[in-house]
Amino acid sequence: MSTLDREAVEVFLQEASENLQYLREYVSVLQDVEPRREDLERLYISAHTLSGTSASYGFPRFSEVAGKLAHVFQYALNAPLGSDLHGPLTEFLSDGISLLETDLLEISDTGKESIDDIAVFKERYRFAFPAETPPLNLSQPDLQERFAREESRESIVAAATGSYFDALPTDDEVPDEILEFFQPEAEEHLQVVSDCLISLEGNNNPEEINKLFRAIHTVKGSAAQVGLKRLGAIAHRIEDLIGRLRDGEIEPSPGVVDLCLESVDVLKKTLHRQWADEVEMRTGVDSLLGRVAEFAPLDPEEAEASSGAAIPGQAALKNEVEAASQSSAPSKKTAKQAAGGTSTVKSVRIALARLDRMMNTVGELVINRTRMVGRVAELEKLVDTLSFSKERLQGKVSEFQEKYEFNRISNSRAPKGPWSPAQTPKMLTSAAAGDTSFWSEFSELEMDRYDDFNILSRSMAEISADVNEVLSQLEGFIGRVEGDIDEFTKLAHHLQDEITAARMVPIGTLYSRLSRAVRDAANSTGKHVEMDLSGSETELDNNIIQQISDPLVHLVRNSVAHGIEQGTDRVAAGKSPAGNITLRAYHRGNHIYIEVEDDGGGINYERVKQSAIERGLVSEETADRLTERDLREILFHPGFSTASSKTELAGRGVGLDVVRANLNALNGEIEIESTSGKGTKFTLKVPLTLIISPALFVRCGTTNFALPLAVVEEIRRLRADEIEDVGGKLLTKVRDVVTEVVRLDTYLGLPPLEPINGYFRMVVANAGSRKIGLVVEEVLGKDEIVIKNLGEYLRRVKLFPGTTIAPDGSLILLIDLNRMVATEPSERRPLQASASAARIFAPGSTAIARGSIPSEAIDRVEQERVIVVADDSISVRKFVGRMLEKNGYRVKLAADGLEAAELITQHGCHLVITDLEMPRMTGYELMVQLRQSPSTRRIPVMVVTSRAGAKHRDRAMKEGATAFLTKPVQEDQLIAAVEQLIGTEAPRPVAPVA
């Protein structure tokens, strides 16, 4: 047994041992009166997995016995086991598990099965192995022989051409869904291959070579399993080369590493189908495999197979074993590593688009939180208004009491003759109304008397007290709401941080690509360059990583081409012969800083000045007045280059302008520092994430705008006489530095601003490599915003990269200061106005103006035919759904019968395609439920199942199926059956179709 086969069998042995141990521990649940369904399902899955994997690895007898065990557990899932069955079945299961354990030990020792023991077991339990059971697929050997003959003929033809490419097998038709999952996995493994190869060049580490071999082996096996046989065959030859490295037959010399890195490029182009045509692919693959054959010649058997011999059945099975081992090898390796620790870290792959949707949802939370804060602010204003009204009410009550209530005592004490009850107002008490002698016994000082004024005064005092109490409660309520909003804000921020962290990837994932770029550039220029990398653990949003990768590659290649000198020149300058490029990444605030620094000769400002003059960017007189900062700014001019001739690395004019454009799109910045003779340093500043960011809100007239807070330096007042107009530009001094002033009202064509008390409000911000002062009417404050896209129709409005939603629901535009400084405000306005006006006079505009559009101009929209596909296999659902959609049907997918029934009830359909065996509700149960409802009784049902027996077909027809197809179903067969059932025109649905 070869080393590769042994590794594959080891994976099978470990997995089978775990499943057998589970069966041994939990098989006794069958003896329970009512065993739990979850336990039975796990038992069935374990036995079914044993049966499937053992067959894939070439142990059919082991697979047969495990399949019988799985059958028992499946039967117990769907039907009760009588008491008379418990005894024989318990003994059968126990002996079966023991037999499989023994057989597994035999496979581990000798690589072969215990044929005699299995034969004795089958003879003892004849009831489980009926002799009359026919094989499931009698025609399979014939098919294999026919395919083998066809492959043999094809291989012979390919070998006759003498081309390595022609000897490669052809790819199967791989669905896009499979590629969607396979390509990222293959990219990860190829990235590991590149990392290991680059580290091998300086350090021959056996562990790195083993890691390299495992990665390319996984690519080979996975590619063959999904049907990319050509990719798998190329990877197989690379694996042979790396295998010789692992065995010590060849050394990891620069030539071998170059060849392996080139093979990674070929594999990536093949994986992503980036070849221009087959001729280019043939040339590239032939060149690669020819050079690989020099280091790793084909074995005689492999050479014979590639020259014309067909792959026999056992070899095909070996390939399946290798492919299957790759699908489980990573998980087994992880399990081994986790066994040594205290706990196992579980993970799941999530599509980036889903994380984007989750982050957008968090953004909506932030918007709602801002809206809630706005509502509380409105409530606080109402409280202030109510408080003011309460104070006015209290003042009036006090004034009324002093004037009409307390004054009555002093007035009554004045001697005005004897008091007479007839002279007082009518009293409201019953005693006063009925017995006037009652009051004659007491004076006003001895007994209070209440008339209408007294009652009104006291009522007003009570109302004032009630308002005061309600106001106090309202203020307490607002305080509690503000506390709740603070907690809500913390939770939203925590959720935002967690999802942002899920999107974060270490920048170290770029380092291998950058190292490769430096290595290739150094080889191309004949320079010796070393690279120091630090901060690889610094994390960035995955989208930002993808967008800065190309700028970083350009910068390191630029450092090799323009910065690092030739070895002789470096020695003459007192430097080491080997140049050094340092790449650092670190986190500061809400930004990530990335530095690319070299120890070369620095920027040659004279050459920059000469190139600018030659290209007509500046005149000779102006060039003499340019500072070093101005010359560095020229480097970012589109098409600018200081190279005297065009090479692969320099002179093409595609350079730092593209780098800056990519960074501007990220709200990032780039700075250059250079010292002649010592080197140059590029510093990139990019935000952590793009979706949620802090912003400064300003107002100009009646319109609010938002500015990225990261570019704002300060806010200050500015007198109107401090602004000077110099050559059409507004300038002022900020801390003795001349700063360009941009009046937002003038730039956007808004009503002109007037200074308040002689002052404007100015926001000083960084735009590109310079500062500007943006004059606004008012600075409203800062907050976190969620940046929303302006949509398809406004995609050309570059000045506003996005918008956010204010608490009152209105939109606030985000201003791109870099774009504002780079373009003149009136450059395109006439063109836009003309285009808008021309649309009013375009053909057909008369009919639109009159409101009478001809019926011939209106396309009739045909009613779509809706089909519900129910199958518990996601692969079958998507495969069948894609075939139907390609033929013009609208498809709704359901994972089982219950989900399909809900879809049909809610939305209706024209046809149901269902499997028979599904969880929660089978296909039979689905058909019964459809027939019971008058609204769904007339919907035709097509059964597509792997059960081809007459019993299943008859039962399906009895339950109401109108068609019955057996898997695997062919597209033309399926479409013909569908058209026969629902026709080419969509009939009126019996249930409403949504």
Side-chain angles (χ1 to χ4, degrees), residues 147-160 163-169 233 236-237 240 297-316 318-319:
F147 291 152
R149 288 196 297 271
E150 292 177 358
E151 290 182 2
S152 175
R153 289 196 298 270
E154 292 175 359
S155 300
I156 293 172
V157 174
S163 169
Y164 291 102
F165 179 80
D166 291 335
L168 297 176
H236 181 63
R237 291 296 294 129
D240 293 340
L298 284 169
D299 294 337
E301 297 81 359
E302 293 180 350
E304 181 181 356
S306 65
S307 64
I311 299 177
Q314 292 183 354
K318 175 184 175 182
N319 289 340

Side-chain angles (χ1 to χ4, degrees), residues 221-445:
S222 301
Q225 187 173 18
V226 302
L228 297 175
K229 297 180 180 178
R230 184 171 289 172
L231 178 68
I234 299 173
H236 181 63
R237 291 296 294 129
I238 312 305
E239 181 189 30
D240 293 340
L241 175 61
I242 297 173
R244 292 174 68 86
L245 272 175
R246 185 183 62 171
D247 298 337
E249 299 179 13
I250 57 177
E251 292 295 324
S253 62
V256 173
V257 174
D258 282 341
L259 179 58
C260 292
L261 288 172
E262 182 183 341
S263 70
V264 172
D265 295 337
V266 171
L267 290 174
K268 285 184 177 180
K269 292 184 72 174
T270 306
L271 172 66
H272 296 289
R273 300 172 181 175
Q274 295 174 340
W275 299 100
D277 50 34
E278 188 169 334
V279 175
E280 181 186 356
M281 184 177 182
R282 179 192 301 274
T283 304
V285 172
D286 278 341
S287 173
L288 173 69
L289 296 184
R291 294 168 59 194
V292 169
E294 296 176 5
F295 291 95
L298 284 169
D299 294 337
E301 297 81 359
E302 293 180 350
E304 181 181 356
S306 65
S307 64
I311 299 177
Q314 292 183 354
L317 180 60
K318 175 184 175 182
N319 289 340
E320 291 181 5
V321 171
E322 292 174 350
S325 70
Q326 301 315 310
S327 63
S328 57
S331 61
K332 293 304 166 188
K333 181 174 180 291
T334 305
K336 289 180 181 178
Q337 293 174 348
T342 57
S343 61
T344 302
V345 179
K346 298 182 179 180
S347 63
V348 63
R349 186 188 298 272
I350 300 178
L352 192 59
R354 176 172 293 182
L355 284 178
D356 286 339
R357 291 195 297 270
M358 294 171 65
M359 182 60 85
N360 286 333
T361 304
V362 174
E364 297 298 331
L365 283 180
V366 173
I367 291 174
N368 287 330
R369 190 265 306 174
T370 305
R371 190 171 296 163
M372 291 167 61
V373 171
R375 297 291 182 266
V376 172
E378 293 175 6
L379 195 57
E380 288 177 340
K381 291 181 180 178
L382 294 177
V383 169
D384 293 339
T385 303
L386 184 59
S387 179
F388 177 72
S389 300
K390 179 208 72 171
E391 292 175 358
R392 289 183 59 199
L393 179 61
Q394 285 182 335
K396 293 297 181 182
V397 169
S398 300
E399 181 182 348
F400 185 85
Q401 286 178 334
E402 291 176 1
K403 186 173 182 180
Y404 293 104
E405 182 175 357
F406 302 123
N407 258 353
R408 288 182 55 82
I409 299 176
S410 59
N411 293 338
S412 63
R413 294 180 61 183
K416 294 182 181 180
W419 172 75
S420 173
Q423 296 175 355
T424 64
K426 182 180 180 182
M427 299 301 173
L428 300 181
T429 61
S430 59
D435 187 3
T436 56
S437 63
F438 172 81
W439 295 104
S440 61
E441 297 178 9
F442 300 96
S443 68
E444 290 187 2
L445 294 178

Side-chain angles (χ1 to χ4, degrees), residues 133 148 205 208 212 421 437 518 568 668 717 839 841 893:
T133 303
N205 186 354
E208 289 291 326
L212 173 65
S437 63
V518 169
T568 54
R717 295 193 306 170
R839 188 169 62 249
F841 302 96
L893 303 179

